[in-house]
Amino acid sequence: MFRLSNNLIGALNFITFLLSVPILGGGIWLATRGGGTDCEKFLQTPMIVLGAFLMAVSLAGLVGACCRNSLLLWIYLFVMFILILLLFCFTIFAFVVTNKGAGQVTSYRGYKEYRLGDYSHWLQKRVENTKNWAKIRSCLSDAKVCRSLQEASQSFEQFVKDNLSPIQSGCCTPPSECGFLYENATAWNKPAAGFTSNNTDCETWGNDESTLCYGCGSCKAGVIANIKDKWKKIAILNIIILVFLVIVYSIGCCAFRNNRRDNAWKGGGYP
């Protein structure tokens, strides 16, 4: 009689195989269509790798469980164990590196401002890397993150009450300590001669749409703040996935034991 654990592993891996097809197909489509943005090019390799990995692992689990192939099922369980271990380590790492840093409330403004030095050194090094930041900056430009502010046509009183995202606050507006004079949300005039600030972002700011504060430390801090928020949500989701994977792994172990037992009986031996 075919065992319940084998049926469950087979069904779960069949669903995983179906999910891997659009992921792999999407990555191949991004790679072959040409003319994509840097963000799309950045996504295509992880999508292809993830899709191929899920397809290979799910096929190993599916064939191993349904055809009672102990070798394939052992490979499947080994990969699952490594995956659980890596996911656990990443979850702990995500909580550690996102534990430090937060936006700072500024007087008379409805949004927070962000400073690069407030965040973990590991995240700082990632965004300060010239090659990494060039890709991130290109993505920000492609996404037109400041476009909505340009189109809002707000007065200064309306603007300072707005609840800007960390990226909009850091990349689309100059730090308040620069003392710039408001023209519109993405155009600010430098203060009269004699006003000085130690913040180097004041010199980096430019009213040109392609410049703004994309080279500022506040922009990098805004990106980190956004990453921090996303990683915390992912870390919580990872806990749920970990519990699910441990359950699947346990069922897989039962299926592997069933395979060995059935093969032992067929060979004339005993389990």
Side-chain angles (χ1 to χ4, degrees):
M1 181 178 178
F2 205 58
R3 310 299 173 91
L4 178 61
S5 57
N6 293 69
N7 283 330
L8 286 173
I9 288 295
L12 288 170
N13 281 284
F14 179 70
I15 294 171
T16 305
F17 176 79
L18 293 179
L19 290 174
S20 71
V21 174
I23 296 174
L24 180 60
I28 294 173
W29 178 75
L30 286 175
T32 57
R33 76 189 191 97
T37 65
D38 287 341
C39 282
E40 291 173 339
K41 291 176 183 176
F42 179 75
L43 287 172
Q44 68 191 29
T45 302
M47 286 183 68
I48 291 173
V49 171
L50 177 61
F53 173 77
L54 289 175
M55 184 174 287
V57 172
S58 60
L59 280 174
L62 182 63
V63 175
C66 295
C67 299
R68 303 186 188 184
N69 188 310
S70 296
L71 176 61
L72 284 177
L73 200 55
W74 183 89
I75 294 173
Y76 169 76
L77 289 173
F78 176 77
V79 173
M80 284 287 290
F81 177 78
I82 298 298
L83 183 60
I84 290 170
L85 188 62
L86 290 174
L87 198 58
F88 175 78
C89 292
F90 173 76
T91 302
I92 299 299
F93 175 75
F95 276 117
V96 171
V97 299
T98 59
N99 189 49
K100 183 182 178 183
Q104 299 182 1
V105 177
T106 305
S107 300
Y108 309 112
R109 304 211 174 192
Y111 58 89
K112 295 179 180 179
E113 292 189 345
Y114 301 84
R115 292 177 174 82
L116 189 58
D118 293 341
Y119 295 91
S120 73
H121 293 298
W122 188 87
L123 287 173
Q124 287 184 49
K125 288 180 180 178
R126 301 288 82 74
V127 297
E128 287 180 327
N129 179 279
T130 304
K131 187 177 179 180
N132 290 345
W133 185 248
K135 292 179 180 178
I136 295 171
R137 180 169 178 165
S138 177
C139 287
L140 294 174
S141 180
D142 292 339
K144 296 179 172 56
V145 295
C146 301
R147 178 65 62 84
S148 61
L149 296 180
Q150 293 172 328
E151 296 173 348
S153 300
Q154 296 174 311
S155 67
F156 180 70
E157 289 72 21
Q158 292 173 320
F159 172 76
V160 294
K161 294 178 182 178
D162 206 354
N163 183 24
L164 305 183
S165 69
I167 291 178
Q168 287 178 324
S169 171
C171 305
C172 307
T173 65
S176 58
E177 63 184 282
C178 295
F180 285 7
L181 304 176
Y182 181 87
E183 185 176 325
N184 62 52
T186 57
W188 298 73
N189 299 319
K190 291 187 176 182
F195 183 90
T196 58
S197 173
N198 294 325
N199 193 328
T200 56
D201 289 351
C202 301
E203 295 299 323
T204 307
W205 169 267
N207 283 333
D208 185 86
E209 183 179 351
S210 62
T211 304
L212 298 180
C213 220
Y214 289 131
C216 298
S218 61
C219 185
K220 295 173 182 177
V223 169
I224 290 178
N226 188 63
I227 292 172
K228 176 183 174 181
D229 179 61
K230 296 292 189 296
W231 274 27
K232 279 199 170 181
K233 292 177 181 177
I234 290 173
I236 294 172
L237 178 62
N238 281 350
I239 294 173
I240 299 172
I241 294 173
L242 270 172
V243 173
F244 175 74
L245 288 179
V246 169
I247 294 172
V248 173
Y249 181 79
S250 301
I251 296 172
C253 288
C254 292
F256 179 71
R257 185 182 61 190
N258 291 341
N259 282 3
R260 294 192 64 183
R261 182 177 298 165
D262 291 342
N263 291 335
W265 279 110
K266 287 179 180 178
Y270 296 92

